[in-house]
Amino acid sequence: MQIIEILKTEPRNQKVEVKGWVRTKRGQSALSFVSINDGSTIHSIQAVVDGENVPEEVMKKVTCGACISVKGELVASSGSGQNVEVLAEEILIYGEADETFPIQPKKHSLEFLREKAHLRFRTSTFSAIFRVRHHLSHAVHQFFHEQNFFYLHTPIITASDAEGAGEMFRVTTFEANKAPVTETGEVDFSEDFFGKETSLTVSGQLEGELGALALSRIYTFGPTFRAENSNTTRHLAEFWMIEPEMAFFELKENMDLAEQFVKYVIGSVMENCKDDLAFLDNRFNQENKTKPQNERSEHTLIEKLNFVLENEFARITYTEAVDILLQSKPHKKKKFKFPVEWGIDLQSEHERYLVEKHFQKPVIITNYPKDIKAFYMKQNDDGKTVAAMDVLFPGIGEMIGGSQREENLDKLKNRVHEMGIEEESLWWYLETRKYGTAPHAGFGLGFERLVQFVTGMGNIRDVIAFPRTPGNVEF
Ligand code: 4AD
Ligand code: MG
């Protein structure tokens, strides 16, 4: 039985076997207390070891980090903070861990643990994060399944740049410096594995649109890759994105779905991960106290999550957002680093002002200038803006980016040309507008940013098991 199950059972002096990793050992050889955790829950179980029952040479190997099995009687515990404990009769050592085991029972910094990503799962913090991450993933599938969406597996290797932002990781079988070149000196990809230049996908959206224009509602949930050289607490080179795409949805319905979706998955983990969230809440609140006053959150993690569930997201246009920023105190005192004017891409200081100072809740910004958005967004009648939407979250910034899509073939082709994208590379995408086109919309949610918000972790590298960032690919 796993510890999560054992802790739920009524102690009646029955025999149990506990398998897991030693967190702590206290006491002397005559009587010692070993705390064991198997990752199935935040809670550890205590084994009480009488020196008469277990040989000393075995107990010597029961050290922090060792993997053991304890057989014994499950009894009610008189100790505080636990209902049951095991009176050990027999201990088996699966794997020893000597004193060089890096995860000792003391507070380690997150930076230190990042360098030990292969072992950090063994800490309470990281095991809680990865359990919550699992439950969030599960809730994602549940939400869409309940709403008649189909999970579409879009390709990882692709020949197109879905965002047109040129942030692709190349995929090639050519050896370095040995690629054949054409007469004009360019790499001759026709001789490569796929016969053309390929990359890792930045988004499954374009393929997702093909699915939606037949199955009506689809979603993707997979890894995406961006070779952007951003060393921030919000960017990864490899991250997981959830991308629903819906036929017959316009921007308003897209916004409604995004808000409903985020509330559903947050509500679901609050229901199903109470113990882990209580632990993370406590961690967040402790950490919060050590921060400088101006960076300190006025609310606990659980309060922040409840607040999202209970309040409607603010909805404003880009133009309104710019007006608010121009009226804002920081702007009047010229305190924004990047000056605000209509047409700029909102910087994180602007987004933070809007969500954290002005609205103090999630905000959906719509109708951005077309020149700062991707080619596929539906062009508005004003000729200047597109039917885009970004959902911003306090402490996170952009959690979701989406839009209604341009369904008109001529308008879409014009935009493709204007942006200098080769029409030929998108012929299959454009054909959906030629044959039975339909209004449709969708969005992409950065899964790690959602996990960050829910777990209260400040750095995105701490919510994915093996983070990929510039210069980092150790594990
Ligand atoms: O805004 P983005 O670039 O939008 C798209 O990729 C669209 N194709 C989505 C769609 O409409 N189907 O990315 C979507 C989200 C962002 O809002 C952000 O949360 C996340 O993906 N994201 C990243 N997360 C971590 N690291 C990065 N480097 C990210 N880049 C984007
Ligand atoms: Mg975006």
Side-chain angles (χ1 to χ4, degrees):
M1 250 202 294
Q2 288 192 291
I3 292 175
I4 190 167
E5 296 300 334
I6 295 176
L7 292 177
K8 282 188 216 157
T9 52
E10 188 72 30
R12 284 176 284 98
N13 297 64
Q14 69 272 48
K15 300 279 184 228
V16 291
E17 182 177 12
V18 176
K19 297 176 184 177
W21 291 266
V22 175
R23 283 288 175 86
T24 59
K25 180 168 93 173
R26 296 178 292 113
Q28 272 79 43
S29 52
L31 187 66
S32 51
F33 303 93
V34 182
S35 155
I36 305 158
N37 185 281
D38 68 357
S40 62
T41 160
I42 191 78
H43 304 293
S44 298
I45 193 165
Q46 173 165 284
V48 181
V49 190
D50 183 332
E52 305 232 315
N53 296 340
V54 183
E56 208 176 322
E57 56 280 17
V58 173
M59 280 314 284
K60 268 195 201 144
K61 295 177 183 169
V62 177
T63 55
C64 174
C67 187
I68 65 173
S69 143
V70 179
K71 283 186 186 156
E73 249 177 57
L74 187 70
V75 299
S77 171
S78 51
S80 66
Q82 61 204 16
N83 297 329
V84 295
E85 59 192 17
V86 180
L87 302 181
E89 289 162 9
E90 194 187 334
I91 295 185
L92 179 92
I93 312 285
Y94 287 123
E96 296 175 37
D98 65 15
E99 67 291 344
T100 61
F101 178 60
I103 317 285
Q104 291 297 321
K106 61 169 193 161
K107 195 166 167 29
H108 293 291
S109 74
L110 295 172
E111 291 78 12
F112 170 81
L113 291 170
R114 244 167 257 151
E115 287 165 15
K116 310 281 177 222
H118 57 308
L119 293 170
R120 67 179 176 170
F121 297 100
R122 306 253 191 108
T123 63
S124 296
T125 298
F126 285 94
S127 57
I129 291 168
F130 292 118
R131 281 188 299 269
V132 169
R133 186 178 163 119
H134 160 77
H135 281 280
L136 272 172
S137 316
H138 188 67
V140 166
H141 291 297
Q142 224 165 358
F143 174 84
F144 287 121
H145 182 75
E146 283 171 12
Q147 307 236 6
N148 298 322
F149 281 71
F150 302 111
Y151 182 23
L152 187 70
H153 299 104
T154 50
I156 303 289
I157 300 176
T158 165
S160 55
D161 182 353
E163 289 301 298
E167 291 171 340
M168 318 270 284
F169 284 103
R170 293 275 111 66
V171 174
T172 174
T173 56
F174 291 148
E175 282 178 48
N177 302 324
K178 290 196 185 151
V181 287
T182 61
E183 279 171 9
T184 52
E186 280 156 29
V187 175
D188 186 359
F189 285 104
S190 69
E191 293 200 19
D192 204 356
F193 188 93
F194 293 108
K196 51 164 74 174
E197 192 174 354
T198 52
S199 308
L200 296 178
T201 188
V202 293
S203 157
Q205 179 196 320
L206 301 190
E207 295 88 351
E209 284 185 51
L210 314 187
L213 290 170
L215 298 164
S216 277
R217 297 181 184 188
I218 63 90
Y219 70 105
T220 71
F221 184 3
T224 45
F225 307 85
R226 305 254 168 125
E228 55 187 330
N229 204 0
S230 305
N231 244 317
T232 77
T233 56
R234 305 278 175 263
H235 288 88
L236 290 166
E238 176 176 315
F239 65 99
W240 286 66
M241 188 154 47
I242 296 152
E243 296 184 275
E245 192 71 34
M246 299 75 65
F248 318 116
F249 270 49
E250 297 193 353
L251 191 62
K252 158 87 170 60
E253 295 156 308
N254 203 22
M255 286 193 272
D256 292 345
L257 184 83
E259 180 165 349
Q260 199 191 348
F261 169 62
V262 175
K263 287 180 171 171
Y264 179 98
V265 294
I266 293 179
S268 172
V269 289
M270 291 190 75
E271 192 56 42
N272 294 309
C273 301
K274 289 203 170 82
D275 291 356
D276 285 322
L277 285 180
F279 173 86
L280 291 166
D281 184 53
N282 187 38
R283 190 189 172 283
F284 176 87
N285 301 333
Q286 297 299 328
E287 195 102 319
N288 197 31
K289 281 186 202 146
T290 67
K291 288 190 174 163
Q293 189 71 39
N294 60 339
E295 286 175 31
R296 217 175 283 172
S297 163
E298 287 170 28
H299 303 283
T300 68
L301 178 62
I302 301 287
E303 281 168 358
K304 281 164 41 137
L305 298 179
N306 271 321
F307 186 82
V308 168
L309 298 189
E310 289 160 8
N311 289 278
E312 277 184 12
F313 297 2
R315 297 184 182 193
I316 54 168
T317 64
Y318 169 90
T319 303
E320 285 164 345
V322 167
D323 283 344
I324 293 170
L325 292 168
L326 288 171
Q327 303 296 321
S328 70
K329 283 212 189 82
H331 187 263
K332 288 198 169 147
K333 290 193 197 153
K334 299 212 182 311
K335 276 200 186 138
F336 286 130
K337 233 167 88 197
F338 294 89
V340 178
E341 62 172 328
W342 200 95
I344 62 157
D345 204 355
L346 298 181
Q347 302 296 314
S348 82
E349 56 174 340
H350 307 134
E351 297 182 341
R352 291 192 68 153
Y353 179 84
L354 290 167
V355 278
E356 286 158 29
K357 296 269 179 318
H358 190 84
F359 288 103
Q360 300 186 351
K361 62 177 178 175
V363 180
I364 310 182
I365 304 182
T366 56
N367 299 320
Y368 281 78
K370 66 174 196 218
D371 293 333
I372 58 170
K373 289 292 184 189
F375 67 93
Y376 49 71
M377 296 194 179
K378 185 173 174 66
Q379 296 155 45
N380 288 327
D381 293 339
D382 62 12
K384 292 192 305 191
T385 62
V386 283
M389 62 172 219
D390 275 7
V391 184
L392 313 181
F393 261 66
I396 300 291
E398 182 189 331
M399 174 110 77
I400 293 178
S403 72
Q404 188 173 337
R405 319 304 188 188
E406 184 54 74
E407 83 257 26
N408 178 288
L409 182 61
D410 293 334
K411 285 187 183 169
L412 183 59
K413 271 192 184 169
N414 275 342
R415 200 67 196 131
V416 164
H417 296 157
E418 268 173 31
M419 293 201 158
I421 300 166
E422 273 177 52
E423 189 183 317
E424 186 48 32
S425 69
L426 290 173
W427 68 269
W428 45 276
Y429 180 72
L430 296 169
E431 279 204 355
T432 54
R433 275 59 169 178
K434 189 170 158 193
Y435 304 119
T437 191
H440 62 291
F443 61 82
L445 177 142
F447 188 52
E448 284 73 20
R449 294 190 185 174
L450 174 67
V451 182
Q452 268 192 285
F453 184 75
V454 172
T455 58
M457 299 304 290
N459 195 317
I460 200 164
R461 295 168 177 79
D462 296 330
V463 298
I464 186 163
F466 300 104
R468 301 294 179 242
T469 52
N472 284 313
V473 68
E474 183 71 21
F475 303 93

